[in-house]
Amino acid sequence: MTDNQNTPEENKGGEHPQVTDPEDRALLEGRHLGIAGRIACNFIDSPISPLLMMAALALGFLGLLFTPRQEDPDISVPMIDIFVQYPGASADQVRTLVTEPLERIMSSIPGVRHVYSATEREHAIVTVRFFVGEPLGPSIVKVHDKLQSNMDKIPPGVRMPLVKPKGIHDVPVVTVTLSSQSVDDSALRTLALDVLQRLQEVKNTGQGFVVGGRHQQIRVEVLPERLAGYGLTLDQVANTIRTANEEKSTGQVESSDTSFNVYSGAFLRTAEDISRLVVGIRNGVPIYVRDIARVIHGPEETRKMVTYSTGPAHDKDEPDADMIPAVTIAVAKKEGSNGVTVANDVLARLARLEGTLIPDNVHVSITRDYGKTANDKVNELLMHLFEAATAVSVLVLVGLGLRASVVVIIVIPIVILITVWWAWVVHYSINRVSLFALIFSIGILVDDACVVVENIFRRWMEAGRTTVGIAVDAVREVGNPTVLATMTIIAALLPMGFVRGLMGPYMRPIPVLGSAAMFFSLLAAFIFVPWFAMR
C-alpha cells in the first residue's frame, strides 16, 4: 500500500492530539491517516469514548424497550369498500346503472391497482385496492373526493354510497369468546357490547366489534284477520309508527331572562309505547296497535348461530362445552402501537371485569391473543440471536485469543442494540423479519472489528510494546480496505429495499437494518475497538 505523503510542517502542532510519545509521533509523522486513522487518533485515548459507548448502550436499551413488537412487518395495502343501495332494482339494473359506472370512476384514481365488485338485487359493493405502500389516509380522501365530484352521475333512487376503509391494523389483536349454558345468545350479545365498551377504553385500542348473538328489537306482528276486520292496511300501521317515532322543535319560549326550546312528540322507547298508538277510529272508538298486532320486545329472528365447543387441547381446569351459545368480542390496535402491550392491557382489563360486569355463569375464553403469539415468536428469535452471537464469540475466541477476542465480543451487543434503536427511529418494529436481519448481520458485523483488533495486536507484538501511536497506525493500515469492504456489502444489500410489490415492504427490514448494522459496526471498529484494545 502506498501512503500519501504530507510535509512535516502539516503534521505539527496538534495533528495527533492523543499521541504524546515522541517515538509514536515520529512514527506517524508525515503519514496520511485517512478517515479511519483520524477517528482512531481522536478517540483511542479520549474520555469521550466510554461516554459514547454508554450512550449507545442506553439508546439501544431504549429502542429495545419502546420499539413495537409484532409478528410481521407493517405493510400498507389500503383497501376501501364502497357500499351502494338501490331499492327496488334488479341485479342487472344495479350492475348496469351503479356497479360498472362506479368501477370506471374508481379506476381513474391515481394509485389504484385493482377494482373489484359484487352485485346482487338492490345492493352492490365495489372494493378499491391501492398499490402497496400507498398511505391509507390520503387514499380515503381520494375516494371521497372522486365520489363527491361525480354525485351528479348517480341515478335517481340510488342512496348515498357508504365508504368503509380496511387495512392491516383492522385485524384484531385479541378475541374473547363469552359462552354460557344458562344465558341465551341475545343476552350474551348485550353483555358483549358492554364489555367491548370497557375494553375500548384501554389506551391504543382501535376498532372493535361483536360477532354472534341476536340483536334486541321490538317486533310488531300484525294479525291479518283483525287488520281486515277493522278495515285497515299495513301502510296505515307502518305510517302511524313512523310518524309517532319522531321529535320536532316547535319554537322557543322566553320567560324573564331564560329561553326554553319547545319540542313536540317523543321517540318510541318500549313495546308499550308502540302498543298504545292509535291507528284509526271506528264507530267513535279508537283502534290501538295492540288491537290489531302483537308487540314483542325481544331478540330478533335467528339468522346465524355462533356456538362454543371445547376440544382435546383445552385447559383441563375449564369445563367441557359442546355447542353452547356464544359471542365473540374482537379488539384491534391503533396503527404504530405495540401489539404485545395493547393485547396485555386488554386482557388485564378483561380480568378486572370478570366477577363484576361479567357474571359467574358466563365463561370467558381467550380465542386469539396476538400479544402472546407475537411475543413468543420474538422471544424465540431473540434466543436464536443470542445463540448466533454466542457461536460467533466462540469462533472469535478460538481464532484471536482471549485478549483480542474480548474486544470483539464486547462490540457485538453494542452494535445490535444501536441497530434496534435505529429501527425505532425509522418506525420499524421488532418482528420476525427484522430479527432475521440482525441474525443475518451478526456474522459480518464482527468482520471490521476482527480486522482492526487483529492488526493492532499484531503490530504491538512486532514492536514489543503497546502504544497509542502503533495502534493508530495499525488502524490506518487497514482503514481504507475495511471501509471499502463494508460499503460493498451495504451496496449489495440496499437494492433489495427497492423491490416493488407485496414482498418489497415485507422484506425491506433486511436491507435497511442489515446496512445499518454494518455501518454501526464500522464506526464501532474505529471508535470502540482501539479504545478497548488500549484498556
Side-chain angles (χ1 to χ4, degrees):
M1 179 180 298
T2 302
D3 295 329
N4 295 328
Q5 299 295 325
N6 292 342
T7 61
E9 287 79 13
E10 293 177 346
N11 292 321
K12 292 180 180 179
E15 176 72 16
H16 314 300
Q18 306 298 334
V19 182
T20 57
D21 187 86
E23 295 186 23
D24 292 342
R25 294 190 69 86
L27 175 66
L28 298 177
E29 196 74 28
R31 293 189 183 276
H32 180 64
L33 298 182
I35 297 176
R38 290 183 182 276
I39 294 176
C41 185
N42 289 322
F43 290 98
I44 190 171
D45 207 23
S46 172
I48 300 178
S49 298
L51 296 178
L52 285 176
M53 182 189 68
M54 289 186 289
L57 289 173
L59 290 176
F61 281 114
L62 284 176
L64 193 62
L65 183 63
F66 291 108
T67 305
R69 290 188 173 194
Q70 298 181 164
E71 289 188 24
D72 299 299
D74 284 332
I75 302 176
S76 177
V77 189
M79 298 184 69
I80 300 176
D81 294 331
I82 304 174
F83 298 89
V84 185
Q85 292 186 349
Y86 193 174
S90 64
D92 288 337
Q93 289 176 317
V94 175
R95 176 180 58 81
T96 304
L97 299 176
V98 177
T99 306
E100 293 178 352
L102 189 57
E103 284 181 343
R104 291 192 294 269
I105 292 173
M106 292 297 106
S107 298
S108 64
I109 298 176
V112 172
R113 177 160 188 170
H114 296 295
V115 178
Y116 312 96
S117 66
T119 305
E120 60 181 12
R121 182 178 179 82
E122 298 185 345
H123 299 280
I125 176 175
V126 176
T127 301
V128 184
R129 176 187 163 189
F130 286 79
F131 282 100
V132 177
E134 290 284 334
L136 179 60
S139 300
I140 299 173
V141 174
K142 290 178 183 178
V143 172
H144 276 287
D145 287 347
K146 186 62 71 172
L147 284 174
Q148 293 297 323
S149 61
N150 289 275
M151 291 295 292
D152 57 326
K153 299 179 181 179
I154 295 181
V158 178
R159 294 181 180 177
M160 183 68 184
L162 173 63
V163 178
K164 298 192 70 173
K166 293 294 181 181
I168 189 67
H169 296 284
D170 294 325
V171 178
V173 295
V174 173
T175 59
V176 181
T177 299
L178 305 181
S179 58
S180 177
Q181 298 276 9
S182 57
V183 181
D184 63 16
D185 60 339
S186 177
L188 284 175
R189 182 178 180 84
T190 303
L191 173 62
L193 292 173
D194 293 337
V195 174
L196 176 62
Q197 182 69 25
R198 300 293 183 87
L199 295 182
Q200 288 193 299
E201 296 174 357
V202 176
K203 184 179 179 181
N204 289 326
T205 54
Q207 181 183 5
F209 54 90
V210 175
V211 178
R214 290 175 292 170
H215 294 266
Q216 289 286 323
Q217 64 177 202
I218 298 177
R219 297 201 308 275
V220 180
E221 298 180 354
V222 178
L223 304 175
E225 64 278 6
R226 292 193 178 184
L227 196 66
Y230 285 113
L232 300 174
T233 63
L234 284 176
D235 287 340
Q236 287 179 278
V237 178
N239 289 332
T240 298
I241 298 174
R242 187 182 302 111
T243 304
N245 188 35
E246 63 181 11
E247 185 178 271
K248 293 183 178 180
S249 175
T250 58
Q252 292 181 334
V253 175
E254 294 184 1
S255 176
S256 298
D257 296 332
T258 307
S259 176
F260 300 93
N261 293 323
V262 179
Y263 297 92
S264 65
F267 291 107
L268 302 174
R269 300 183 182 276
T270 64
E272 183 65 23
D273 293 341
I274 297 177
S275 64
R276 292 200 301 257
L277 296 177
V278 177
V279 182
I281 297 177
R282 183 173 184 179
N283 299 328
V285 179
I287 303 172
Y288 297 97
V289 172
R290 62 173 175 263
D291 296 330
I292 50 94
R294 288 193 298 265
V295 184
I296 304 169
H297 185 191
E300 65 178 354
E301 295 291 337
T302 302
R303 297 180 180 179
K304 56 184 178 181
M305 297 181 63
V306 176
T307 59
Y308 177 73
S309 302
T310 55
H314 86 287
D315 191 348
K316 300 304 179 184
D317 295 333
E318 298 179 1
D320 294 335
D322 184 21
M323 302 290 288
I324 62 176
V327 295
T328 296
I329 305 170
V331 181
K333 71 178 184 69
K334 288 183 179 178
E335 182 179 358
S337 59
N338 192 328
V340 176
T341 303
V342 174
N344 292 338
D345 292 344
V346 169
L347 295 179
R349 176 65 63 88
L350 180 68
R352 292 197 295 269
L353 295 178
E354 293 186 49
T356 55
L357 179 62
I358 303 175
D360 295 334
N361 60 342
V362 175
H363 180 66
V364 179
S365 302
I366 309 301
T367 47
R368 172 176 169 82
D369 184 358
Y370 177 87
K372 183 178 185 303
T373 57
N375 202 41
D376 289 345
K377 291 177 181 178
V378 169
N379 288 336
E380 180 183 1
L381 284 172
L382 285 174
M383 180 59 65
H384 292 324
L385 182 66
F386 175 77
E387 293 172 353
T390 302
V392 171
S393 301
V394 172
L395 291 175
V396 172
L397 181 63
V398 173
L400 294 180
L402 180 60
R403 292 181 61 191
S405 62
V406 168
V407 178
V408 177
I409 292 171
I410 293 177
V411 170
I412 294 177
I414 297 176
V415 174
I416 292 176
L417 287 175
I418 200 67
T419 306
V420 172
W421 167 79
W422 178 250
W424 178 36
V425 170
V426 296
H427 303 292
Y428 279 14
S429 61
I430 299 178
N431 52 70
R432 293 184 291 183
V433 179
S434 60
L435 286 176
F436 173 79
L438 293 180
I439 296 174
F440 163 77
S441 302
I442 284 181
I444 55 179
L445 65 83
V446 297
D447 288 352
D448 298 340
C450 288
V451 171
V452 172
V453 75
E454 190 277 335
N455 201 48
I456 291 175
F457 276 82
R458 182 183 61 82
R459 289 288 302 275
W460 280 344
M461 292 176 64
E462 290 178 353
R465 58 194 181 97
T466 58
T467 63
V468 172
I470 296 176
V472 171
D473 193 51
V475 175
R476 177 199 62 79
E477 281 185 337
V478 296
N480 290 342
T482 303
V483 171
L484 182 60
T486 303
M487 291 305 169
T488 54
I489 296 176
I490 294 176
L493 285 175
L494 282 180
M496 190 189 302
F498 297 96
V499 176
R500 300 177 62 86
L502 191 61
M503 289 306 296
Y506 188 85
M507 303 300 292
R508 192 163 294 155
I510 294 178
V512 172
L513 298 185
S515 300
M518 290 303 303
F519 180 74
F520 290 134
S521 69
L522 182 65
L523 294 181
F526 294 155
I527 296 175
F528 301 134
V529 167
W531 184 85
F532 270 119
M534 288 300 301
R535 304 284 81 74

